[in-house]
């Protein structure tokens, strides 16, 4: 931005690196260029500052398609002032006394370029349908507007060079756009639903596979348990059979032992009986040759051994006479 310092009857101008200054002194070109610095009399001088850097101009306008649909076009035009002197002579880029430039020149350029873009774009869109405009309108309009603006005689004579055109969007009205988006949204929703169903089906299939694996595992475990129970039963049966066989062997051994013991006891009893009988026979043989009085005395001795102890014995005459009478009666036949 240029700066102007004011002094009495004279001012000093200091330009900027992006502003091309055109100084007319009494209608004649006195100074021109970028970054100028000079003194001038304000009463007889006219200053114009034309920017030499690239300028960006956003443009938006409406057009009607062949099927009577309204579309909006958003574009951006990049341009620069290739001939600042011609621009200063045809457009208003005058500087204010304080050094600030007017906006009239930029507004004029925006109006010129905007009208050119709109006129060419309307002709192009009017020959296409809405579907065609939305499908290939951006690329077609970009090439059309770039060629038309770069070849426009008015812009060239003014000193304006168009560097490029970018068409950002070609959009229908909001309700039409929503209507056009509905099939795509429905299709996307259908695709999303299909993906969801496939994901659910895959999850169900995986769950079924997991359930089958669990069932197969349970069946295998049941089969192994059945085999284990059968093996345990076989082992228990074998153990019982072995225990029964062992018990039978023990019983047979015990029976044989008891038979041997009984036989031994019987033999012992037989031997004892034979010994006792032999003793008795020997005793009887001894007693056979003894007299009656000796036998009676032995009998009394044997009886006395089994009688209780008698501390006092009283023999009365009656008892003694009776005993003697019985004794004599017994001994008398023996004497005969």
């Amino acid at each position: 931005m240029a700066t102007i310092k004011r002094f009495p009857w004279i001012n000093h101008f200091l330009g900027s690196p992006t502003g091309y200054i055109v100084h007319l002194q009494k209608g004649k070109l006195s100074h021109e260029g970028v970054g100028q610095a000079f003194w001038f009399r304000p009463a007889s001088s006219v200053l114009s500052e034309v920017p030499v850097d690239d300028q960006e101009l956003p443009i938006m306008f409406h057009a009607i398609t062949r099927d009577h649909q309204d579309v909006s076009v958003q574009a951006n035009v990049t341009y620069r002032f290739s001939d600042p002197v011609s621009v200063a002579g045809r457009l208003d880029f005058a500087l204010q006394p304080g050094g600030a430039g007017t906006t009239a020149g930029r507004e004029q350029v925006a109006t010129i370029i905007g009208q050119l873009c709109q006129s060419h774009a309307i002709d192009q869109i009017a020959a296409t349908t809405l579907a065609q405009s939305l499908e290939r309108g951006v690329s077609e309009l970009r090439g059309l507007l770039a060629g038309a603006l770069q070849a426009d005689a008015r812009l060239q004579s003014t000193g304006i060079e168009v560097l490029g055109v970018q068409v950002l969007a070609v959009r229908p009205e909001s309700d039409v756009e929503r209507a056009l988006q509905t099939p795509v949204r429905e299709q996307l929703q259908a695709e999303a639903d299909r993906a969801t169903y496939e994901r659910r089906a895959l999850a169900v299939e995986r769950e079924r596979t997991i359930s089958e694996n669990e069932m197969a595992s349970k069946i295998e475990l049941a089969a192994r348990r059945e085999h284990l129970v059968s093996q345990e039963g076989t082992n228990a049966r074998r153990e019982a059979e072995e225990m029964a066989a062992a018990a039978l062997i023990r019983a047979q051994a015990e029976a044989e032992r008891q038979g041997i013991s009984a036989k031994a006891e019987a033999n012992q009893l037989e031997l004892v009986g034979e010994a006792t009988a032999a003793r008795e026979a020997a005793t009887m043989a001894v007693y056979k040759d003894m007299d009656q009085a000796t036998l009676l005395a032995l009998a009394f001795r044997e009886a006395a051994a089994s009688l209780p102890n008698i501390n006092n014995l009283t023999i009365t005459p009656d008892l003694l006479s009776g005993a003697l009478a019985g004794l004599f009666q017994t001994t008398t036949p023996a004497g005969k």
Side-chain angles (χ1 to χ4, degrees):
M1 179 179 177
T3 57
I4 298 177
K5 294 183 179 181
R6 303 178 65 183
F7 299 95
W9 304 290
I10 195 171
N11 294 341
H12 183 268
F13 173 82
L14 178 62
S16 65
T18 59
Y20 193 98
I21 190 67
V22 178
H23 176 209
L24 298 179
Q25 182 74 26
K26 295 182 180 181
K28 294 181 181 181
L29 184 61
S30 178
H31 298 89
E32 66 171 323
V34 177
Q36 295 290 317
F38 53 86
W39 297 88
F40 66 94
R41 294 182 179 275
S44 59
S45 298
V46 176
L47 299 177
S48 298
E49 187 180 27
V50 179
V52 295
D53 55 342
D54 295 344
Q55 302 294 311
E56 301 290 338
L57 177 63
I59 300 173
M60 181 175 180
F61 55 88
H62 290 265
I64 303 298
T65 62
R66 189 175 64 188
D67 49 359
H68 309 289
Q69 296 296 324
D70 181 70
V71 294
S72 60
V73 180
Q74 296 179 6
N76 187 77
V77 178
T78 304
Y79 67 94
R80 71 182 183 90
F81 298 106
S82 59
D83 190 356
V85 177
S86 300
V87 172
R90 303 187 61 173
L91 301 177
D92 186 7
F93 283 93
L95 288 178
Q96 301 294 331
T102 62
T103 60
R106 295 177 184 272
E107 293 176 356
Q108 289 174 339
V109 173
T111 301
I112 294 171
I113 295 178
Q115 289 178 352
L116 290 173
C117 291
Q118 187 172 359
S119 62
H120 292 290
I122 287 176
D123 294 339
Q124 175 66 23
I125 292 175
T128 60
T129 62
L130 176 62
Q132 294 173 348
S133 299
L134 297 179
E135 182 179 358
R136 57 177 184 270
V138 173
S139 59
E140 291 181 352
L141 288 178
R142 183 187 303 115
L144 174 66
L145 294 179
L149 293 178
Q150 290 174 358
D152 186 76
R154 183 179 179 183
L155 295 180
Q156 293 179 357
S157 62
T158 306
I160 300 174
E161 179 183 359
V162 176
L163 302 177
V165 178
Q166 298 295 329
V167 178
L168 304 178
V170 177
R171 301 183 60 180
E173 294 180 347
S174 58
D175 54 347
V176 177
E177 186 175 12
R178 285 194 298 269
L180 293 175
Q181 291 173 351
T182 300
V184 178
R185 289 180 179 176
E186 293 295 334
Q187 182 179 0
L188 294 177
Q189 185 63 40
E191 292 293 331
D193 294 340
R194 183 179 61 81
T196 302
Y197 296 150
E198 290 180 355
R199 185 169 62 254
R200 290 180 180 176
L202 181 60
V204 171
E205 181 66 21
R206 289 180 178 176
E207 289 179 358
R208 184 182 65 82
T209 303
I210 294 173
S211 299
E212 290 180 354
N213 293 335
E214 291 179 351
M215 186 177 297
S217 299
K218 290 181 179 179
I219 293 174
E220 184 178 359
L221 291 176
R224 291 184 179 181
R225 184 174 181 81
E226 181 181 2
H227 178 70
L228 178 61
V229 171
S230 177
Q231 187 64 36
E232 289 179 350
T234 302
N235 295 338
R237 184 169 61 253
R238 290 181 179 177
E239 184 178 0
E241 291 176 356
E242 295 295 333
M243 292 178 64
L248 179 60
I249 293 173
R250 286 196 301 269
Q252 291 177 353
E254 183 67 20
E256 290 179 359
R257 186 182 64 77
Q258 290 179 0
I260 294 172
S261 298
K263 187 176 181 180
E265 186 176 359
N267 292 333
Q268 184 179 3
L269 291 176
E270 184 179 357
L271 293 175
V272 171
E274 290 178 354
T276 302
R279 189 187 65 178
E280 291 294 332
T283 303
M284 293 303 295
V286 172
Y287 287 163
K288 180 178 179 182
D289 296 334
M290 288 184 181
D291 57 3
Q292 184 177 6
T294 303
L295 293 174
L296 182 60
L298 292 174
F300 280 148
R301 191 182 66 179
E302 293 292 334
S306 60
L307 290 176
N309 295 328
I310 300 173
N311 297 323
N312 297 315
L313 178 64
T314 302
I315 301 174
T316 62
D318 295 335
L319 179 60
L320 182 59
S321 61
L324 291 175
L327 179 61
F328 289 136
Q329 290 178 359
T330 305
T331 59
T332 298
K336 292 179 177 182

